[in-house]
Amino acid sequence: MDVAAFEAAAHATTDAVAWAYLAGGAGDEVTVADNVDAWRRWRLRPRVLRDVSAISTATTILGAPVATPVLVAPSAMHGLFHRDGELATAEGAARANAVYVLSQVATTSLEDVAAAVPDGARWMQLYVQADRGMTRAVCERAAAAGYGALVVTVDSPVVTRRTRDIDRSSFGVPPSMALPNLAPGVEAPDLFAIVEGYDPALTFDDLADISGWAGGLPVLVKGVVRADDATACVDAGATGVVVSNHGGRQLDTCVATADALVEVVDAVGARAEVLVDGGIRRGVDVLKALALGARAVLVGRPVIWGLAVAGADGVHDVLAGLTEELRTAMGLAGCTDAAAVPRDLVGPPR
Ligand code: FNR
Ligand code: LAC
């Protein structure tokens, strides 16, 4: 099954409120759609007669070898979509040799997930809370559990409005679930109160503290779409940035990530790792991202579609399927090395 088939199957089996949470975005969902369309607007310029008998999707991220440049984007509350929650995601990602970025809003403790993901293949996403003691504690836990990097999400300084009526009256953490990395020890946590606790006063100056609390782990800043911001993040000590608009879930009509990627790569690509997410649905999208200078991509909703349909098997199939599509696209485009995709493989967007 390709990703689109997983989406249809997941829609058919997921309860309506959870589906609205998963599929929806901010405002009129212009950016949700534009993220997908923007990759399609770029055109490939395949090369021929290049001996593609040996193609490798392997690359390095943060200096470490990985089998695929397709990563699991951090996404909240997998317990809503499968009874095994993040443990199923972890198993599927591990089987697909994909790095798993665990959301701080997971319904499974980061320690339990760590036990299910190989060393070197787990990163921890976090939100910086106004209560810095809480943030510091989770940084320390992530370092102790062997996470290889922190992904600090910065596109959510104030609470957004999601179109599909995702508000206190319709959506919450089910009583049977907890958020052990965000509100440890709290029964039936109020998600909206927690989101209101993200620190709106956060600035570039705070990034150094975060890395320090995690024993110097590399920090990637997620949610950057501008050259000046990317430069300021790297100047402040970030090892990399994730070009992301949170899958269109925060600020509607935000620039599509495929279109923002180029200016960020031009600004910091020579001295920092640039990753991208949003709207990646095909191997050709991954190939375009690599050509435009991303080191790797993260995939959000498709992983959850796989999870909802078939647990770990579905997560594996989505990730392995995208990697196989990438391999095919590379061959057809005359490109054998995912770590060295030439910029001129893509033409200007239509
Ligand atoms: C997200 N995303 C997200 N990001 C983050 O940093 N922390 C989080 O807890 C979540 N939670 C979350 C839940 C759900 C249901 C979705 C769909 C997304 C955003 C995610 O990391 C990523 O940026 C987008 O999902 C990428 O877009 P696509 O691949 O979904 O189009
Ligand atoms: C979301 C939050 C949890 O996108 O990041 O729903």
Side-chain angles (χ1 to χ4, degrees):
M1 288 208 294
D2 60 22
V3 161
F6 272 105
E7 179 176 16
H11 193 176
T13 55
T14 302
D15 115 279
V17 172
W19 184 260
Y21 173 65
L22 169 59
D28 297 311
E29 301 182 356
V30 170
T31 299
V32 174
D34 199 34
N35 275 344
V36 174
D37 292 343
W39 293 112
R40 294 182 176 181
R41 284 195 293 265
W42 287 90
R43 288 291 179 265
L44 285 163
R45 303 175 60 245
R47 308 190 301 177
V48 297
L49 297 169
R50 302 293 162 133
D51 183 1
V52 293
S53 50
I55 297 169
S56 172
T57 62
T59 186
T60 59
I61 313 177
L62 301 178
V66 291
T68 173
V70 179
L71 282 60
V72 177
S75 59
M77 295 186 286
H78 289 190
L80 291 176
F81 303 101
H82 190 271
R83 65 182 177 280
D84 298 333
E86 287 81 8
L87 292 179
T89 312
E91 185 191 328
R95 274 202 261 134
N97 295 310
V99 171
Y100 182 13
V101 186
L102 179 67
S103 166
Q104 189 180 6
V105 197
T107 42
T108 309
S109 80
L110 66 88
E111 289 82 4
D112 288 350
V113 172
V117 182
D119 286 344
R122 54 183 187 271
W123 297 355
M124 182 73 207
Q125 178 267 328
L126 46 104
Y127 289 109
V128 180
Q129 290 164 275
D131 179 346
R132 286 293 197 281
M134 309 263 298
T135 300
R136 179 177 186 146
V138 78
C139 289
E140 290 171 355
R141 284 173 59 195
Y147 284 77
L150 296 177
V151 176
V152 180
T153 301
V154 297
D155 55 20
S156 314
V158 298
V159 180
T160 188
R161 289 221 41 197
R162 302 240 169 108
T163 315
R164 304 188 196 195
D165 285 327
I166 293 175
D167 60 22
R168 279 193 155 92
S169 65
S170 69
F171 185 78
V173 184
S176 60
M177 289 177 207
L179 302 176
N181 311 307
L182 194 53
V186 178
E187 257 177 64
D190 177 349
L191 183 65
F192 292 88
I194 291 169
V195 170
E196 283 157 9
Y198 300 166
D199 190 357
L202 194 69
T203 71
F204 299 102
D205 296 335
D206 295 298
L207 297 174
D209 283 346
I210 295 163
S211 172
W213 294 333
L217 278 184
V219 167
L220 292 105
V221 181
K222 175 171 179 280
V224 173
V225 294
R226 297 167 52 109
D228 53 357
D229 281 357
T231 300
C233 288
V234 177
D235 287 348
T239 306
V241 295
V242 182
V243 175
S244 174
N245 52 37
H246 215 107
R249 298 163 71 81
Q250 298 302 121
L251 177 65
D252 196 26
T253 75
C254 177
V255 61
T257 48
D259 297 333
L261 177 59
V262 176
E263 75 170 76
V264 171
V265 168
D266 286 349
V268 299
R271 61 190 179 115
E273 209 100 320
V274 178
L275 280 61
V276 65
D277 74 22
I280 302 269
R281 302 292 180 263
R282 286 286 188 190
V284 287
D285 302 335
V286 183
L287 182 60
K288 290 172 191 176
L290 300 180
L292 293 172
R295 201 69 206 150
V297 305
L298 296 82
V299 175
R301 293 179 183 86
V303 169
I304 305 179
W305 299 335
L307 176 68
V309 171
D313 288 341
V315 169
H316 166 271
D317 289 356
V318 164
L319 294 166
L322 283 169
T323 301
E324 266 323 292
E325 285 188 7
L326 169 64
R327 185 187 302 281
T328 304
M330 287 172 67
L332 293 169
C335 173
T336 55
D337 181 2
V341 179
R343 173 67 180 80
D344 65 7
L345 212 66
V346 285
R350 293 201 310 146

